[in-house]
Amino acid sequence: VAGKYADVDLVIVRENTEGLYAGRERLDGDTAIAERVITRHGSTRIVRTAFEHARKRSQARGQSSLVTVVHKANVLRVTDGLFRECALQVAQDYPGIALTEMLVDAMAMRLVRDPENFDVIVTTNLFGDILSDEASALIGGLGVAPSANIGDQAAVFEPVHGSAPDIAGQGIANPIGAILSVA
């Protein structure tokens, strides 16, 4: 890709079943409450997936990879603290892959300022949702960004934006996100 971000080649790996998207919400009078669910199993699984992906990228490129663990453990001490703890434990199984940590707000800034310094980014569900949408702007927007939802039993590959039924039949949909997802 020519232009300002010609040297960007990064992957964002996010947990996709937990966090605030677990759907645990309730009303208590005039107060809306959402529970953020982070498990050791989910955190370990997604961080291991990120490190395995980094290992494959490293082998394919013939150079070392970097995994950046994104969290907000300074404020969300219990939930992001658990996620961070799991990440540091998994990293010990991958001594050839560098690990760095970054708070999500700093990551949002650095992703725009110097995205070429990142390789594999791993984070929780909500943070990953926001950062992946932000990262898509580096390559042209949500309409061209690929994605994969990979579970233990099955996988779904689709453009980040989904199927865009609101523009079906108008001849204006860009198929690049779908093509890249298939690739």
Side-chain angles (χ1 to χ4, degrees):
V1 176
K4 182 176 180 181
Y5 299 111
D7 294 329
V8 174
D9 180 11
L10 63 85
V11 174
I12 297 176
V13 179
R14 80 182 234 222
E15 203 295 320
N16 205 28
T17 62
E18 298 182 345
L20 287 172
Y21 293 178
R24 293 188 185 177
E25 295 184 297
R26 67 183 183 282
L27 282 174
D28 183 2
D30 290 335
T31 302
I33 300 169
E35 294 181 39
R36 186 171 193 247
V37 178
I38 302 293
T39 67
R40 184 172 304 280
H41 172 76
S43 298
T44 299
R45 182 179 60 85
I46 203 64
V47 172
R48 190 163 305 283
T49 297
F51 271 90
E52 285 297 323
H53 199 70
R55 179 188 302 189
K56 290 175 187 172
R57 287 170 63 88
S58 179
Q59 291 169 346
R61 296 184 307 203
Q63 62 187 42
S64 62
S65 285
L66 168 68
V67 173
T68 303
V69 178
V70 178
H71 58 76
K72 192 72 174 173
N74 62 327
V75 175
L76 301 169
R77 290 184 176 98
V78 176
T79 52
D80 269 13
L82 177 60
F83 179 78
R84 179 182 180 270
E85 175 189 321
C86 292
L88 296 176
Q89 287 174 347
V90 169
Q92 293 176 10
D93 295 337
Y94 297 86
I97 298 173
L99 168 76
T100 188
E101 300 178 60
M102 192 163 297
L103 297 176
V104 67
D105 40 359
M107 183 71 222
M109 179 195 62
R110 293 274 315 275
L111 191 57
V112 171
R113 192 179 74 197
D114 54 350
E116 66 280 353
N117 291 330
F118 299 99
D119 186 13
V120 176
I121 299 166
V122 63
T123 191
T124 56
N125 202 352
L126 176 63
F127 297 160
D129 186 12
I130 295 166
L131 293 174
S132 61
D133 285 1
E134 178 186 17
S136 75
L138 302 175
I139 63 165
L142 289 173
V144 297
S147 76
N149 291 289
I150 303 171
D152 293 333
Q153 304 295 320
V156 175
F157 299 86
E158 65 181 348
V160 169
H161 64 74
S163 63
D166 57 322
I167 59 173
Q170 297 180 33
I172 59 173
N174 185 334
I176 294 300
I179 293 167
L180 291 173
S181 295
V182 170

